[in-house]
Amino acid sequence: MGAYIIRRIIQTIPLLIGITIVSFAVMHLAPGGPIGMATQMNPNIKAEDLEKMKEAMGLNEPVYIQYLTWLGDLVRGDFGYSFVKRVPVSELIIERLPNTFLLMFTSFILAFIISIPLGVISARKKNSLTDYSVTGFSFLGISVPHFWLGLMAIMFFAVKLGWFPAGGAATLDGPFSIGDRLIHLLMPALVLATGDMAGLTRYTRSSMLEVLGQDFMRTARAKGLKEKKVIYKHGLRNGLIPVITILGLILPSFFGGAVITESIFGWPGIGKLFIDSVFQRDYTMIMALTTVSAVLVVLGNLLADITYAIVDPRISYK
Amino acid sequence: MKSRKIVGLTLTFILALGLLLSGCGSNSATPPADKGSDKKETTTPTDTTKKTEDDNKPVDGGKLVIGSIGEPTIFNDFYSTDTSSSEISSKLYNGLVTFDNSLKPQPDLAESWEFSPDNLKITVKLKKDVKWQDGQPFTADDVVFSYNIPRSKDYAGPRASDFEKIKDIKKIDDQTVEIDLSEPYAPIMSTLAYSILPKHILKDVPVKELDKNEFNTKKPVGTGPYKFVEWKSGEYIKLTKNPDYFKGAPHIDELFYKFVPDQNALIAQLQAGEVDIIGVPSTDLQTVEDWAKKSGKADVITTQALSYTYLGYNMLNPLFKDKKVRQALTMALDRKAIVEAVLNGDGKVANAPASPLSWAYNDQVPTFDYDPEKAKQILADAGWKDSDGDGILDKGGKKFEFSLKTNQGNKARETIAQVVQQQMKKIGIQVDVQVLEWSAFINDNILKKKFDTTILGWSLGVDPDPSGIWHSKEAKDGGLNFISYKNPEADKLMDENTKILDLQKRKEVIDKINYMIADDQPYSFLYYPNDHLAIPANLKGYEYGPAGLFYNIQNIWLAPKK
């Protein structure tokens, strides 16, 4: 197992380099640059000054040189300075990443604890009213875009009812308290969870349906085991195997969703930072965030594979 | 315009939105001008919403939460180019002068200034007993130090051109500096609005590394009304009042700039009471006004924005060579109807390349009001007739058709483009509307002159010099005279205007320039938009104009809620 994990990690290195090459190229293909965006339509700023800034920032080098310089710095653990904010990129990411993690994992766990039982119930009561309602809500959850749901939630629960704060990660300048953090976290986490919750419910349902019809389920019942034990010990454990693969796969979608959800809720995570940096063409920041999220997604998949082996003893990695 | 822009709170919001949605032509910010002067300003333009103070006396205390879409980048005027940054740095620092609501320079850190008879030397007297927020005295050394930053050969920032007319700057004594100019240059006053930075803190930082110094983002120290407390990335910036501010301690204890990147969410936060002040775009005006009236918690205040929106004709295209044809095209446009229908009346029809807010504005320019019949007649006289009966004018086998490019994300411009298309159709002109992503629009189309016509806007500077947009030398590649307007006579006057220091005489020259441009109609000037702010109903003592809500921030206070 240990050797397998190490091998997998080594395998990801060329993959990650590939990702950075593609991102770097795509980013440079987009019109504009970190200097142009805010300054080029200002009659007050001379083209010569901008040229001098470009030179000082190394933006006049050929793209492959710029890439190699960037990669060289990265290998030494240096993400460089933000072109726009003029502070080390790593500083901002370290400040913001924990917030995104908090949001992602909360909604991940919410999605998990809500959708798995719903999927199981739906499968057990196949074609019942419960099943139909769960299915209906699932499709609704898949179809509704995050930004709309987020705004509706804010309008209803924050503006109309005043139950929750309308945005932010904590009360402005208030003292730190867990309760305060939780109440700010709940709405964005739930909104972020909806889309994937819906998908997960559907996967759990179909996977459970398959398992429920298996011989060993009948055997378990014949042994006289309690229904609960049959379903949750024998059924769910087998039914979860494909679901875990899915969990690994939906990790990137949490990142994507976080970008939008963070903007709506003013959540100070890297999603918001990413949007800002894309609009400002802040190359170093874009690359750092792309790399960090690529690493996380790759690790997420690895984690899913390992969990796979834990849940299903038949699978072993050599 | 070759000068500093007034960076009002409003512009911050509108332009911050612009950064995201690609709003106005020029998104860049310039050093703060919305700082107070100790002279009570009485000449406010008619468009300025002004609230007279209540009978009751100002009360100290309270806090204001200002909702902002954009997050600032760096609190150093010599490097920042966004309005969010300059909005905040205008609370932290002062310049030598500031610009009031009529866009005239007023003393800030300067006590007074005087030009030599040949206009090549400015002697600036500084205020006495001004202290930096860390208690050190402010002196002429700080001014010399600050102005030498963008003048250094190691400086790699965007602002060098504003200082290129300064040949030398010397300290005469602790309270006097002398600035030598390479030529008489009226817009130099807007250069004097740049923030002065503390020499005693930054003197050992090489200019090359100044932009990356943590002074700029973590511990800025200025002479301004508010002191920097903290910046929580992605959340807020907190400022606290400077009790020793040289114009008097501000009444409001704390300012928070809270970052909410989504416009709809920002309005929701206003309604939920989590932010106190937001910029309101025209499209949301009705919603916010209705809510403000119903809840009684807020007021929506309005001022004309220091900008205009136009339809520009690429003069390299033979279609638009003839001045008469361009005038006819403007007559084909019912601009009043555009303002009424598209903007709900929230704007004013423009006829000149200057803002009515400026002291250099003159409405005595040729105007081309809506008259489609006359437009048709002029075009017919120029040889444009519908000879094949397809409803489109033609001349020598060539149809009168062109493309109209504008940027995505600006609802007003997108709609106006369609209205222009319909109105042109009425006089037999075929318009092909293309809406493009901002960056591609600017870099690949506008600045490369690959367009026939375009709808764009200009944010104007506090100085009325038209050269930056209209001088033929700006028609070079990457220049902002991308429509390639060339008028040698106007060029000559433009070269002249910056050399005249007398406002009245300079205005006469600028009037002539604007008259020529309006007569040439290289743009169909469309309208002057408005800026709106939602503010707490109990906010007192403010003046709202082009200098922003926080001009003279030390006079603003919050009445206790009953």
Side-chain angles (χ1 to χ4, degrees), chain A residues 31-32 38-44 46 49 52-53 84 86 91 95-96 165-167 173 263-264 268 272 281, chain B residues 1 3-4 25-26 28 71 81 153 155 161-162 164 211 218 233-235 238 261 265 269 274 439 443 480:
Chain A
T39 49
Q40 65 197 156
M41 290 298 276
N42 184 345
N44 214 24
K46 284 229 169 106
D49 291 338
K52 205 173 158 194
M53 281 171 77
V84 176
R86 320 236 184 177
E91 210 174 87
E95 198 176 340
R96 300 259 197 131
D173 203 32
S263 285
I264 297 286
K272 225 175 102 180
R281 302 286 194 274
Chain B
M1 307 277 123
S3 85
R4 195 108 303 91
S26 166
S28 62
E71 186 157 352
T81 50
K153 60 176 186 340
Y155 170 77
S161 66
D162 273 337
E164 67 185 8
D211 63 331
K218 292 198 184 65
S233 177
E235 292 183 68
K238 180 182 176 185
Q269 292 218 5
E274 286 172 39
S439 188
N443 289 291
L480 295 185

Side-chain angles (χ1 to χ4, degrees), chain B residues 49-64:
Chain B
T49 310
K50 178 163 177 162
K51 264 209 157 176
T52 42
E53 287 175 35
D54 282 22
D55 300 336
N56 41 5
K57 271 172 72 175
V59 184
D60 283 349
K63 63 172 186 183
L64 275 181

Side-chain angles (χ1 to χ4, degrees), chain B residues 82-294:
Chain B
D82 62 300
T83 40
S84 306
S85 299
S86 45
E87 160 66 22
I88 292 168
S89 76
S90 73
K91 308 294 164 289
L92 303 173
Y93 310 106
N94 295 84
L96 292 182
V97 303
T98 183
F99 285 82
D100 63 21
N101 276 322
S102 55
L103 308 186
K104 284 183 180 152
Q106 298 293 341
D108 202 3
L109 281 170
E111 179 74 46
S112 63
W113 60 88
E114 202 179 344
F115 281 84
S116 63
D118 60 0
N119 287 332
L120 284 172
K121 199 185 282 287
I122 319 170
T123 309
V124 184
K125 282 266 171 223
L126 304 177
K127 285 206 176 93
K128 268 186 211 150
D129 302 325
V130 176
K131 287 210 163 29
W132 291 100
Q133 288 161 355
D134 63 0
Q136 295 288 318
F138 157 79
T139 68
D141 287 324
D142 296 308
V143 180
V144 175
F145 168 78
S146 301
Y147 284 19
N148 279 334
I149 295 168
R151 295 179 67 237
S152 156
K153 60 176 186 340
D154 288 336
Y155 170 77
R159 303 296 185 182
S161 66
D162 273 337
F163 292 83
E164 67 185 8
K165 296 284 196 297
I166 297 181
K167 212 167 66 187
D168 196 19
I169 171 161
K170 290 189 291 277
K171 165 185 171 178
I172 303 297
D173 59 45
D174 269 356
Q175 252 68 57
T176 318
V177 288
E178 205 175 80
I179 300 167
D180 286 330
L181 302 177
S182 54
E183 63 175 62
Y185 192 63
I188 195 71
M189 291 317 293
S190 54
T191 300
L192 300 190
Y194 272 96
S195 298
I196 303 299
L197 302 177
K199 181 183 180 184
H200 68 277
I201 296 178
L202 294 170
K203 62 175 185 290
D204 295 327
V205 182
V207 170
K208 223 176 225 161
E209 288 154 32
L210 182 59
D211 63 331
K212 291 175 183 166
N213 195 281
E214 61 176 10
F215 171 87
N216 300 320
T217 48
K218 292 198 184 65
K219 27 188 178 184
V221 173
T223 50
Y226 283 84
K227 294 193 272 194
F228 181 85
V229 180
E230 63 171 339
W231 180 353
K232 285 240 182 184
S233 177
E235 292 183 68
Y236 62 85
I237 284 173
K238 180 182 176 185
L239 308 179
T240 184
K241 76 170 173 186
N242 173 10
D244 304 320
Y245 186 47
F246 67 96
K247 293 175 188 172
H251 297 296
I252 295 170
D253 290 338
E254 287 167 341
L255 295 185
F256 289 88
Y257 288 86
K258 189 177 182 188
F259 314 124
V260 184
D262 183 86
Q263 181 63 40
N264 293 314
L266 191 59
I267 292 173
Q269 292 218 5
L270 175 78
Q271 296 177 341
E274 286 172 39
V275 300
D276 301 320
I277 297 181
I278 66 168
V280 185
S282 296
T283 39
D284 294 317
L285 187 58
Q286 198 64 47
T287 322
V288 177
E289 268 181 342
D290 288 350
W291 169 80
K293 219 170 276 165
K294 222 173 75 188

Side-chain angles (χ1 to χ4, degrees), chain B residues 314-329:
Chain B
N314 188 345
M315 313 273 277
L316 297 178
N317 186 324
L319 278 180
F320 309 119
K321 274 259 170 336
D322 185 355
K323 163 168 123 179
K324 289 259 178 271
V325 169
R326 298 193 299 268
Q327 292 174 350
L329 291 177

